[in-house]
Amino acid sequence: MAEATPQTEQPELHRAIGPKLLLFFVVGDILGTGIYALTGNVAGKIGGALWLPFLLAFVVAFLTAFSYLELVGKYPKAAGAALYTNRAFKIQFLTFMVAFAVMCSGITSASSAALAFGRTYLRQLLVEFFDLALSPESLVITGIAVIFIAALAIVNFRGVSESVKANVVLTCIELSGLIIIILIGAYAIAVGDGEPSRLTEIHTPPGTSVILAVTSATALAFFAMVGFEDSVNMAEECQNPIKIFPRAMLWGMGIAATIYVLVAITSSLLIPSDELAKAGSGALLKVISVGAPGFP
C-alpha cells in the first residue's frame, strides 16, 4: 500500500504591517500624482463643479471596496484579485491573465504618474532652484522618472518592512503638498479672494450633454482614486488582517476623498475652469501662484 505524499506547506510571509502602517499604505496608494495631473483635465470636462466628479468617483470606489473587504475576510492571503479569481473559477490561465493584467496596470500607472510628475513639477523645481530649462520630453526628466521607479522596485524587493516604512515617508511628502494647497485656499477665502459661484458651474463641451460630461469627468477622477484595491495584496503580511483591514481601508478612502474634494474646491474657487484646463497637469501650480504668489 503506497504511502500518501505529504504536501509541503508554503512558508508564511512576515507579518510586519499593523493597523497604522496599513492605514498609511491605503492613503499612500490612493493619494499621488493622479490629483496633481488630473485636476486641469477634469475641469476641462465639467467646468467649475470639478469637486463633483471626485465625490462621485469616491462613491463608486467605496462600493467596490466592500467587495474587496468581503473577499479579504474570506481569503486573507497575498495575491489579491488573482487569488479570488482562482478560488472562483479554478482556471489557471484565467488566474494568470488576471495576475498579468494587475501587474501591467501597476507598472503603467506608476510610470504615467512618474512621467507626469517629472515633466511638470520636477521640471519646475529644476527651473526655479537650478536654472535648468528642460523641455517636458527631455531625456533627463525621463531618466529621473526611470531611476525613481527602479529605486522603489529595489526597496520592494528588499522586503515589506522596508517598503511600508518608505511608504510612510512618501505619503507624508505627497500629503503635505496637498495640505499646502488646501491651506492656501482657506487663506484666500478668509481674505475675500475666490469666487464661490464657480462651484456650481457645469460647462460642457459643444454637443455634450451634462450627464455625459459628468460621467466622463468621473471616469477621469476615478483614476485618482484607484490604489485602495492594491492593499489586499498585503493581507498575508498584516497582523490580524480580518480585524484591521475594514477599518484601515474605509478610513483611508475617507481621508483621501476628503483631501481630493477640498483640493478640487480650492482650485475652482481660485481659478476659472478654462484656465485650469489650459494648465493641464500643472493646474495646482497655477493655484499656488494665484493663491499665494510669494510661495516658492
Side-chain angles (χ1 to χ4, degrees):
M1 184 175 178
E3 293 183 0
T5 303
Q7 292 184 348
T8 57
E9 294 185 359
Q10 291 183 343
E12 275 201 359
L13 299 176
H14 179 48
R15 297 189 180 275
I17 305 177
K20 292 180 181 179
L21 285 176
L22 182 59
L23 177 62
F24 268 99
F25 187 91
V26 175
V27 173
D29 244 5
I30 299 174
L31 295 182
T33 314
I35 183 67
Y36 288 94
L38 291 177
T39 299
N41 295 329
V42 174
K45 293 284 186 183
I46 194 172
L50 72 153
W51 56 270
L52 180 60
F54 287 102
L55 184 61
L56 292 176
F58 166 70
V59 173
V60 175
F62 197 75
L63 295 174
T64 307
F66 280 106
S67 298
Y68 278 98
L69 289 177
E70 182 176 355
L71 290 167
V72 81
K74 289 183 177 180
Y75 311 113
K77 298 286 185 181
L83 172 65
Y84 309 148
T85 303
N86 186 54
R87 292 298 179 94
F89 302 102
K90 300 189 185 303
I91 301 174
Q92 293 296 328
F93 179 74
L94 185 58
T95 301
F96 166 77
M97 290 304 298
V98 170
F100 185 75
V102 170
M103 180 189 71
C104 290
S105 70
I107 293 173
T108 53
S109 61
S111 301
S112 61
L115 284 175
F117 190 83
R119 289 173 176 175
T120 303
Y121 296 90
L122 177 61
R123 187 168 64 90
Q124 186 69 20
L125 177 71
L126 295 175
V127 170
E128 293 289 342
F129 290 94
F130 300 99
D131 199 26
L132 294 175
L134 300 172
S135 68
E137 289 76 24
S138 169
L139 290 177
V140 174
I141 297 297
T142 304
I144 292 174
V146 171
I147 291 171
F148 183 70
I149 293 295
L152 291 182
I154 292 170
V155 173
N156 279 284
F157 278 123
R158 178 65 183 85
V160 67
S161 180
E162 290 80 4
S163 65
V164 292
K165 290 172 184 175
N167 177 71
V168 170
V169 176
L170 295 176
T171 299
C172 290
I173 291 172
E174 60 191 358
L175 185 59
S176 65
L178 297 174
I179 289 176
I180 286 171
I181 292 168
I182 293 170
L183 292 177
I184 286 174
Y187 172 77
I189 295 170
V191 298
D193 293 336
E195 182 52 63
S197 63
R198 293 196 197 107
L199 297 177
T200 57
E201 291 178 352
I202 297 180
H203 296 155
T204 61
T208 304
S209 65
V210 173
I211 294 177
L212 183 59
V214 172
T215 303
S216 59
T218 302
L220 271 178
F222 187 78
F223 177 76
M225 283 297 302
V226 297
F228 64 90
E229 73 283 357
D230 290 335
S231 61
V232 298
N233 298 325
M234 313 299 289
E236 200 169 341
E237 292 157 308
C238 289
Q239 303 162 3
N240 197 356
I242 296 175
K243 181 179 179 181
I244 69 173
F245 243 96
R247 182 176 297 180
M249 181 178 284
L250 296 180
W251 269 105
M253 292 180 66
I255 291 170
T258 301
I259 291 171
Y260 279 3
V261 170
L262 290 176
V263 168
I265 289 173
T266 298
S267 303
S268 185
L269 283 171
L270 295 179
I271 310 289
S273 59
D274 57 341
E275 294 185 25
L276 286 173
K278 288 179 183 177
S281 60
L284 296 189
L285 278 177
K286 191 167 185 64
V287 172
I288 294 287
S289 66
V290 171
F295 196 87

